[in-house]
Amino acid sequence: MVTRTGTRRWREGAVVAAAFVICLLGGTVRVDNTLTPPTAAAYLVAVVSCAVLPPRHRKPLAVLAVTTAAGLVAQPLGLVLTPPVIAPALVASYACALGVPGERRAVGAVSLSAVALAASVPLYGDLSWRDAGRMGTVAAAPLVAWLVGQAVRTRRAYLAAVEERARRAEESRELEARRRVAEERVRIARELHDLVAHQITLANAQATVAAHFFDSRPEQTRASLRELVETTGHALDELRATVGLLRQTGDTAAPEGPAPGLDRLPDLLGAFRRAGLEVSVREEGAARTVPPGVDLTAYRIVQEALTNVTKHAAGRGARVGLDWGGGWLTVTVSDDGGAPGGPPALSDRPPGYGLIGMRERAAAVGGELTAGPRPEGGFLVTARLPLPSVREGAADGEGTGRMPGATDEGRTA
């Protein structure tokens, strides 16, 4: 800060000294174009007009008025009015271009100063062609100084605007990077929830079934334990694949398989049935081509909804519906709330982020999801996911979203 202030003072001193020297040299010119040593009048005009220059940045109009007045008394004191004599007024005109708010106000003040200085030339003595030339140069000099100052002001404003745009662009890049990081964290968290929590919930349900029938049905208990081993193995595989998303560049890439979709829905329902959940499926309408994002979203919503049924509805029964009508894929998952006599429920656990994750998935593909209790009991999850038009689906040629073994319209699997 001290260095910057010192530099500014040196610059101000250099400007005032240069204006003083030029003004003093202008006082050496006589009417016959001969040069003489500076007179006392030349020193007086130079000292008075240059002494008011330092505050020109704070009060440019006042400084312009004083320097103009000093130029007007140059001829009565025996000096020839030339641009060098009014050098302090030129510096003040330059300062007006930089410091006076409003271009019209600044150019008006400078023009008034130029006219006053030029009009004072013929007031003393006869007007000759040399006086006419001096009138033109004296009138043009303040306006030229103002134009130079205006150009500098425009340049500074342009550079300031460029720096501001660069700063905003840098802030935008930082905000965009933070947003992308946040979105990636949410996506990985959602994948971990949908992949791992689903398998862990199934394993918990299978272990609950095994414990419930340990004494009364040993064969079913052994089958549940076998399913438990298989489910935990799948959980480890999916955990390994999901954690692979966090590897840095250059690390050994984890093997990636195709994203699950509705074609893997029978396997998903089979896993829940083996865990003790009775699941029925009803599909209506002609199956259509499903974009990969919608396909994965529909699968994950069914997976999470059935996981919630297993956790909170005592694992009794659930119904899955797929409706392909109206340009939307409507996915519904409902349950009856459970019935007495079955294995115990898992609803004593605190609520998680399942519904939040399902809503985020549906919104990410342009759909919507609603969830809530049914009047007749149980819980209902409804997701409406957009489908491409029939023409787009035919052009894509990616097949349909109908799961293998699905029934015709309106039939229950």
Side-chain angles (χ1 to χ4, degrees):
M1 185 66 181
V2 176
T3 303
R4 185 176 180 181
T5 302
T7 303
R8 184 181 303 169
R9 290 178 178 175
W10 277 104
R11 184 171 63 248
E12 292 294 327
V15 171
V16 173
F20 177 82
V21 172
I22 294 173
C23 182
L24 197 61
L25 291 177
T28 64
V29 179
R30 293 293 174 259
V31 177
D32 56 358
N33 290 331
T34 60
L35 300 178
T36 62
T39 63
Y43 278 101
L44 177 63
V45 172
V47 170
V48 171
S49 58
C50 292
V52 298
L53 288 181
R56 67 187 182 278
H57 298 295
R58 299 189 302 273
K59 298 179 179 180
L61 293 178
V63 173
L64 178 63
V66 173
T67 54
T68 302
L72 292 176
V73 300
Q75 288 196 148
L77 295 177
L79 302 177
V80 178
L81 190 61
T82 58
V85 173
I86 61 172
L90 303 185
V91 175
S93 299
Y94 177 88
C96 284
L98 296 179
V100 175
E103 183 176 345
R104 291 184 178 180
R105 185 181 179 187
V107 73
V110 174
S111 299
L112 182 61
S113 173
V115 170
L117 291 171
S120 68
V121 173
L123 294 181
Y124 303 94
D126 297 333
L127 182 64
S128 64
W129 65 269
R130 291 182 178 179
D131 295 331
R134 284 194 295 113
M135 286 178 61
T137 56
V138 168
L143 295 176
V144 172
W146 177 83
L147 289 175
V148 173
Q150 187 66 19
V152 172
R153 181 176 183 175
T154 303
R155 176 67 176 176
R156 290 178 179 177
Y158 171 75
L159 293 177
V162 170
E163 292 178 357
E164 179 66 16
R165 285 197 298 268
R167 184 185 63 81
R168 291 183 179 180
E170 184 66 23
E171 291 179 354
S172 299
R173 283 193 293 269
E174 293 179 359
L175 292 176
E176 179 66 15
R178 294 175 184 173
R179 185 185 64 82
R180 290 181 179 272
V181 169
E183 289 180 352
E184 186 66 13
R185 290 177 60 186
V186 171
R187 187 182 70 85
I188 294 175
R190 193 160 50 224
E191 289 296 326
L192 284 172
H193 180 277
D194 292 345
L195 293 173
V196 180
H198 158 67
Q199 299 289 355
I200 298 302
T201 300
L202 279 182
N204 199 330
Q206 291 162 351
T208 302
V209 171
H212 183 71
F213 295 111
F214 185 80
D215 295 325
S216 58
R217 301 179 184 177
E219 291 298 329
Q220 186 170 349
T221 299
R222 284 191 288 270
S224 297
L225 292 177
R226 287 193 296 269
E227 294 292 339
L228 176 60
V229 172
E230 182 179 349
T231 299
T232 53
H234 289 316
L236 291 174
D237 294 338
E238 293 186 355
L239 178 61
R240 188 181 300 111
T242 304
V243 172
L245 297 174
L246 303 176
R247 290 183 180 273
Q248 298 180 356
T249 304
D251 294 343
T252 304
E256 298 182 357
L262 293 177
D263 58 335
R264 292 177 55 182
L265 197 56
D267 296 335
L268 177 67
L269 301 181
F272 279 103
R273 288 177 180 131
R274 289 190 295 271
L277 181 66
E278 298 177 2
V279 186
S280 61
V281 181
R282 183 178 181 85
E283 187 175 9
E284 298 183 358
R288 301 259 296 281
T289 299
V290 181
V294 175
D295 198 20
L296 174 61
T297 298
Y299 178 88
R300 292 301 188 201
I301 288 175
V302 173
Q303 180 187 58
E304 177 59 28
L306 292 178
T307 301
N308 289 339
V309 171
T310 303
K311 292 170 60 178
H312 303 294
R316 301 310 194 284
R319 290 170 295 280
V320 177
L322 300 175
D323 187 350
W324 300 87
W328 296 82
L329 170 58
T330 303
V331 180
T332 59
V333 180
S334 61
D335 66 88
D336 54 8
L346 307 176
S347 56
D348 55 344
R349 298 179 180 275
Y353 297 94
L355 291 178
I356 296 176
M358 287 191 289
R359 289 194 179 96
E360 290 176 348
R361 283 189 178 276
V365 296
E368 57 184 16
L369 183 139
T370 58
R374 299 192 306 163
E376 62 273 21
F379 203 81
L380 174 63
V381 175
T382 302
R384 296 179 72 248
L385 309 177
L387 293 175
S389 63
V390 177
R391 185 174 302 174
E392 292 175 351
D396 291 340
E398 296 180 357
T400 65
R402 183 184 294 272
M403 56 183 180
T407 59
D408 293 334
E409 180 178 348
R411 295 181 59 189
T412 303

